Amino acid sequence: VASADYVAGKQAVEEKKWLLAAESFKRATLQDPKSADAWNMLGYSSRWAGKYPEAFGAYARALALEPAHRGAKSYLGVAYVRTNNLGKARAQLAKLESICGNKDCDEYKLLDKAITEYKAP
């Protein structure tokens, strides 16, 4: 069962209120420090808020808890694309391919698209 803070975070994501989402997911991780999903969503909302150090830290926690977490691997890869680190992004893409393939895996497709559309600064 998702905590009230996790649910509030998901609502804030739907409304694109990234800082509010990050605050909600941060509370959710305090309530359930072993929730890879909460850590992943904290990373996701932090990334959208432009807080990359926090995002990378949250993704690392999610993957420490659940090494094959497809969402965290995909979103971590997108964060690497956004911070101009294509080598690390491609490494996450390769890991995703080994976990879920490249045909019917939405997480793979999302990261592959981010890499394909990357424009160097």
Side-chain angles (χ1 to χ4, degrees):
V1 176
S3 72
D5 285 313
Y6 187 88
V7 172
K10 292 288 273 193
Q11 180 64 41
V13 164
E14 286 180 25
E15 297 170 6
K16 296 182 173 22
K17 294 179 179 175
W18 306 117
L19 291 173
L20 180 62
E23 291 170 18
S24 296
F25 289 122
K26 194 173 289 182
R27 286 192 302 273
T29 63
L30 291 172
Q31 294 160 12
D32 185 1
K34 290 184 172 26
S35 172
D37 290 338
W39 285 107
N40 176 51
M41 291 307 298
L42 175 57
Y44 178 82
S45 50
S46 296
R47 173 174 59 89
W48 275 100
K51 296 177 173 279
Y52 287 96
E54 292 92 334
F56 285 120
Y59 293 137
R61 292 288 294 268
L63 291 167
L65 291 163
E66 195 178 315
H69 194 290
R70 297 180 346 193
K73 287 204 174 297
S74 180
Y75 295 154
L76 173 60
V78 171
Y80 284 135
V81 170
R82 300 278 185 269
T83 55
N84 307 307
N85 195 332
L86 284 194
K88 287 188 175 183
R90 287 190 182 106
Q92 292 304 315
L93 190 66
K95 290 175 185 175
L96 272 170
E97 187 171 14
S98 71
I99 293 168
C100 61
N102 61 9
K103 299 280 188 267
D104 297 317
C105 180
D106 290 338
E107 295 84 359
Y108 179 94
K109 291 176 189 174
L110 180 110
L111 179 52
D112 186 50
K113 184 175 190 278
I115 292 170
T116 302
E117 294 176 353
Y118 173 77
K119 304 273 189 288

